[in-house]
Amino acid sequence: LVGAALAAHHLTSDTQYATVAAREFNYVTPENEMKWSYVEPSPNSWDFAAADQIVAFASKHNMKVKGHTLVWHSQLPKWMEELTGAEAVRAALERHVRTVAGHYKGKVYAWDVVNEAFSDDSKPVLRNSVFQKHLGEEFIAQSFRWAHEADPDALLFYNDYSIEYPGAKLDAVYSLVSRLKAAGVPIHGVGFQSHVNAADAPTNAQFAGVIKRFTDLGLLVNISEIDVSIGSKVSGDLPTRVTLQRNTYRSLVAACVANPKCHSVTVWGVPDKYSWLNMPEFWTWAGQGPHYPLLFDDSYGKKPAYDGVLDAFCGR
Ligand code: XIL
């Protein structure tokens, strides 16, 4: 599957966006619309309108849907962040996972069940989220179990970033999913966000090795949110950076294509102009833009990066 993150408001306002999305991709991730603050803005009060719009678009164009994301420390409504007490947090989490996964039962191919649970420290630990604080590590296994009960046919993924290359965070995620598998928790795979910078992206061999570690455990994998920044951290003139970007896309996507258990590659947006990396609040990337991170330029022309992805799928 070849996917893109899509936004409902662009589908409504930009016909070219919708046309290109339907023509080029057969898998869709709602970029924001299924997140907690969108679908459950106040306790047990639900708004699926924007997410449903994307699912309807996907179904009209024979595209599969990746649900994103049931449990994440970010983009939570304030009421959830401020909830206290293990019983209250457990009840709200269970209701959320069951309701959202239940609403999309039979309509999503896969779910990112738990997103970004680990910290970026040199010794990664589970982030100090409302879930971790009140429930401990058990919130992860429980979320997978509830999601599986609500939609037994959906593939269930753990999703994270900065795990595409060897390191402490990768080891922490590997150890978590190994324990989940051993305990019989219904987890089917791991997603690699792959938000990378062309200046220091993992190599094909590194990424292929990481993918193999997980598929050897009997898990599926996917590239869930790839974009390749060629902002100011990357040296050289623009044509040089554009070529490096093409090669980076090819090399990372090729690592997925080479492993039969890697079932999808999703880019985190369609034209450069709508990329989240260009939004000023992403402080980690601040001052490095413009990033030109995606496969289509601002007039929907195919960039060399597009050919890089195509080369990878064609084994060139
Ligand atoms: C980003 C969206 O692209 C932005 O529009 C939003 O403001 C913040 O979230 N990891 C994830 C995605 O799992 O959900 C994030 O998406 C990007 C990082």
Side-chain angles (χ1 to χ4, degrees):
L1 298 173
V2 190
L6 297 184
H9 62 282
H10 296 318
L11 287 177
T12 307
S13 64
D14 182 344
T15 53
Q16 234 184 330
Y17 174 88
T19 303
V20 171
R23 186 188 72 211
E24 299 288 342
F25 301 100
N26 60 6
Y27 200 28
V28 176
T29 305
E31 184 171 352
N32 288 296
E33 291 79 348
M34 287 183 181
K35 291 171 181 174
W36 198 311
S37 61
Y38 284 69
V39 297
E40 194 186 5
S42 25
N44 205 17
S45 155
W46 306 91
D47 183 357
F48 292 111
D52 287 352
Q53 185 193 332
I54 296 184
V55 173
F57 175 84
S59 130
K60 184 171 168 201
H61 297 285
N62 291 314
M63 306 158 94
K64 290 186 162 60
V65 177
K66 156 79 87 68
H68 175 80
T69 169
L70 295 171
V71 187
W72 190 26
H73 68 280
S74 186
Q75 293 183 280
L76 279 176
K78 208 162 185 238
W79 66 266
M80 186 61 208
E81 255 166 24
E82 289 173 350
L83 218 55
T84 55
E87 195 38 47
V89 171
R90 195 203 57 81
L93 179 63
E94 176 171 1
R95 179 183 65 201
H96 184 82
V97 171
R98 286 190 187 278
T99 304
V100 180
H103 182 83
Y104 290 108
K105 179 177 157 47
K107 294 185 175 157
V108 301
Y109 180 72
W111 268 108
D112 290 330
V113 178
V114 175
N115 195 31
E116 302 181 353
F118 283 98
S119 70
D120 294 310
D121 308 323
S122 54
K123 279 200 160 60
V125 291
L126 289 175
R127 277 175 205 274
N128 188 22
S129 64
V130 64
F131 315 113
Q132 166 65 13
K133 197 154 78 200
H134 296 283
L135 305 175
E137 182 179 314
E138 196 48 25
F139 85 87
I140 299 177
Q142 287 291 39
S143 297
F144 277 92
R145 291 192 188 104
W146 292 323
H148 185 62
E149 280 181 32
D151 188 353
D153 293 331
L155 296 173
L156 303 183
F157 284 89
Y158 175 82
N159 194 51
D160 215 329
Y161 64 90
S162 296
I163 55 168
E164 297 82 7
Y165 48 90
K169 191 169 177 183
L170 167 66
D171 293 340
V173 169
Y174 183 82
S175 142
L176 168 74
V177 301
S178 307
R179 278 180 279 127
L180 293 173
K181 273 290 272 182
V185 173
I187 177 171
H188 306 114
V190 171
F192 301 91
Q193 292 186 7
S194 311
H195 296 291
V196 303
N197 194 301
D200 54 20
T203 64
N204 172 275
Q206 281 176 324
F207 192 30
V210 170
I211 288 175
K212 186 172 184 310
R213 278 183 75 181
F214 288 97
T215 60
D216 283 352
L217 271 182
L219 290 166
L220 299 169
V221 300
N222 69 97
I223 295 180
S224 53
E225 307 182 10
I226 193 170
D227 45 27
V228 178
S229 168
I230 49 168
S232 60
K233 222 175 139 183
V234 187
S235 52
D237 57 13
L238 195 55
T240 306
R241 288 184 278 149
V242 161
T243 302
L244 183 62
Q245 180 182 55
R246 173 188 176 140
N247 294 337
T248 305
Y249 265 108
R250 184 179 52 210
S251 137
L252 294 178
V253 173
C256 173
V257 172
N259 190 315
K261 291 263 176 87
C262 184
H263 75 79
S264 63
V265 175
T266 292
V267 284
W268 206 240
V270 183
D272 284 339
K273 63 184 172 189
Y274 296 153
S275 166
W276 74 301
L277 293 178
N278 296 323
M279 294 161 36
E281 57 269 36
F282 294 103
W283 56 272
T284 36
W285 301 82
Q288 293 174 27
H291 297 280
Y292 308 110
L294 296 168
L295 306 184
F296 294 88
D297 66 29
D298 291 350
S299 330
Y300 295 96
K302 294 173 183 171
K303 295 166 56 187
Y306 179 99
D307 301 310
V309 171
L310 205 59
D311 284 346
F313 275 106
C314 298
R316 296 192 286 245

